[in-house]
Amino acid sequence: MPFSEYIQLNDGNKIPLIAFGVGTSVSRRWGNPEGLPELLKTALQAGYRHIDTAEANMLPLVEYENENEVAEGIRMSGVPRKDIFITAKDLSIKGVTTEQALRKTLQNLGVEYVDLYLIHNAMFAKNDADLQRKWAEMEAVKELGLAKSIGVSNLEQQRIQAILKTAKVPPAINQIELHPYFQRTELVSWLQQQNIALACYSPLAPLRSGSFGGRPGPVDDIFQALAKKYNVDESEIGLRWAIDQGHVVITTSSKPERIQGYAKKLPSFKLTTDEISDIAELGRKKAFAAFWHAFAPSGGDNFRLLSSRREDLIQDNWPKHNINAKSADIVDTWGPAELLSASSHEGPFAMWIGREILCTEDFKGNQYHWNEAFDLNHVS
């Protein structure tokens, strides 16, 4: 039975609250033997009706690489296109217009339109005018009927405010990392005031261990207690924490049994208002962002960064090594970069584009653009 929980966007279109995210962990080329088509078939037949085709926010080229696999999975499922909500993202590749990028995506997916098209991030925009021009292109593809709704991803308030100054159509949604350890309270409140919906990626970060997880942490005990109370897994508690606040959640798995488990268990219960508040209160005791890691400075005018070479990520041994770069390696300022300003008491953040680190932030909030020739292969 399909998931029946939806919210209405500010343009009148409805969006399912639970999305199956298409990321690196479910793609054949990234080492998953099941392959994306088979897993997507499982998800759709289990009841998912929302596909997010760009979950791997750290690796922005993955989306185009797996769109053909998404098309195959949809065909295998037997679920009619009209019953599936498809979210795709524009990567803002230099020299490629929004319409060109979306038409390529539509060709790969084998569909005539997407239900939601998002600006992946604002790193391409050196100023508000760049972002406003991009949004005008987004409005144009909506007018052409290539996307039913348009929105943004990974944007902070000031960037969305810049869009709203010239927008004919406001963003319908903002997709950001959100979970109990990264609650973005001020941004969430402002989005609600603007009637802009919110979608959460990495909603289960508090349950993961290692570089991309927040475990152990202060929500561990309450997640375990609530899972026992409702006879579900802790992951279902984490997802309902966001869903029961009216947020879209993007989750994924390479395990068919887990995909089917979500479909069966998530509709069977809801958290109470007090339980949602208790999780939030405990979550505020720890600051953690799964995809925007903070590092301590190495002293002097140096900045201590982490390598994000794609091969490190494939081998699942990230972080492999550190880079100690002097301020002389900085070629110019480049900002503001909204994801870099995510709150943390630990230190500067790094942002990744493709195979290189191109941007970082120091303790004072200054953003820097790094020389693209900086050779990560010769750092030990």
Side-chain angles (χ1 to χ4, degrees):
M1 180 179 295
F3 290 123
S4 59
E5 294 182 74
Y6 294 76
I7 57 170
Q8 184 169 301
L9 300 173
N10 58 20
D11 58 9
N13 294 323
K14 291 184 177 181
I15 182 172
L17 282 172
I18 304 169
F20 185 78
V22 177
T24 58
S25 63
V26 295
S27 179
R28 286 185 184 129
R29 63 175 48 83
W30 293 82
N32 175 41
E34 288 286 343
L36 172 57
E38 191 65 36
L39 291 171
L40 189 52
K41 170 189 171 184
T42 298
L44 289 169
Q45 291 183 345
Y48 286 79
R49 288 297 180 266
H50 182 177
I51 304 170
D52 186 285
T53 65
E55 193 213 13
N57 287 285
M58 286 183 63
L59 302 173
L61 296 181
V62 169
E63 291 91 325
Y64 286 148
E65 293 176 355
N66 62 25
E67 286 171 347
N68 290 322
E69 293 182 69
V70 172
E72 184 181 350
I74 292 174
R75 287 193 297 269
M76 291 168 58
S77 74
V79 177
R81 165 66 182 98
K82 65 181 180 64
D83 295 336
I84 303 172
F85 190 103
I86 299 177
T87 295
K89 294 190 178 80
D90 182 275
L91 306 182
S92 303
I93 298 173
K94 187 175 182 179
V96 179
T97 69
T98 301
E99 182 179 344
Q100 289 171 336
L102 180 49
R103 288 191 183 278
K104 175 64 174 175
T105 287
L106 296 178
Q107 179 183 353
N108 291 343
L109 292 172
V111 299
E112 296 181 354
Y113 66 91
V114 293
D115 297 272
L116 177 62
Y117 199 48
L118 306 178
I119 296 176
H120 191 276
N121 59 56
M123 290 298 292
F124 69 91
K126 295 183 179 180
N127 50 51
D128 288 351
D130 286 348
L131 192 55
Q132 290 162 350
R133 281 191 291 269
K134 183 66 176 180
W135 187 252
E137 292 186 9
M138 295 287 286
E139 292 175 326
V141 297
K142 176 177 171 62
E143 182 68 23
L144 289 170
L146 303 180
K148 289 190 173 182
S149 297
I150 51 176
V152 295
S153 177
N154 298 314
L155 264 65
E156 296 288 347
Q157 178 177 333
Q158 66 184 39
R159 291 292 206 173
I160 301 176
Q161 285 175 322
I163 288 174
L164 292 175
K165 288 179 181 178
T166 59
K168 297 176 182 177
V169 178
I173 198 166
N174 186 18
Q175 185 182 118
I176 59 174
E177 179 177 349
L178 188 79
H179 47 76
Y181 295 152
F182 200 39
Q183 296 184 36
R184 321 289 287 277
T185 306
E186 292 184 6
L187 176 60
V188 171
S189 176
W190 183 81
L191 290 171
Q192 290 171 339
Q193 293 170 18
Q194 301 299 315
N195 195 25
I196 297 173
L198 193 149
C200 317
Y201 66 81
S202 296
L204 301 181
L207 297 176
R208 293 196 297 263
S209 301
S211 299
F212 296 105
R215 177 160 280 183
V219 301
D220 290 354
D221 288 345
I222 192 171
F223 271 36
Q224 292 169 7
L226 291 173
K228 183 177 181 180
K229 172 184 175 180
Y230 291 108
N231 193 29
V232 297
D233 293 335
E234 292 177 59
S235 55
E236 275 106 40
I237 299 299
L239 294 175
R240 285 245 62 116
W241 181 79
I243 294 168
D244 290 338
Q245 296 180 72
H247 305 327
V248 176
V249 295
I250 302 156
T251 187
T252 192
S253 178
S254 59
K255 299 178 180 179
E257 62 274 15
R258 179 165 293 178
I259 295 171
Q260 294 164 341
Y262 288 162
K264 180 179 180 180
K265 294 179 182 179
L266 282 172
S268 70
F269 76 103
K270 291 186 178 182
L271 298 178
T272 67
T273 301
D274 286 344
E275 289 166 347
I276 293 169
S277 297
D278 290 345
I279 291 171
E281 183 177 355
L282 289 168
R284 283 190 284 270
K285 295 181 179 180
K286 180 171 183 173
F288 172 80
F291 285 95
W292 310 112
H293 294 263
F295 322 110
S298 59
D301 63 349
N302 289 358
F303 296 83
R304 186 165 178 262
L305 308 176
L306 289 178
S307 165
S308 64
R309 292 186 300 172
R310 180 172 290 192
E311 55 265 35
D312 293 345
L313 294 165
I314 294 173
Q315 295 169 9
D316 198 28
N317 60 358
W318 187 92
K320 187 175 182 179
H321 52 244
N322 296 325
I323 300 169
N324 288 303
K326 295 182 180 296
S327 56
D329 295 315
I330 300 171
V331 293
D332 61 4
T333 58
W334 195 37
E338 62 284 336
L339 278 174
L340 300 183
S341 63
S343 61
S344 172
H345 61 278
E346 298 182 62
F349 278 71
M351 178 168 280
W352 304 270
I353 300 180
R355 297 173 64 88
E356 306 284 350
I357 295 175
L358 295 186
C359 196
T360 189
E361 179 183 52
D362 65 17
F363 278 107
K364 296 180 181 179
N366 301 310
Q367 285 98 28
Y368 301 97
H369 183 193
W370 292 79
N371 189 331
E372 296 184 36
F374 196 77
D375 190 355
L376 301 182
N377 293 305
H378 291 87
V379 180
S380 60

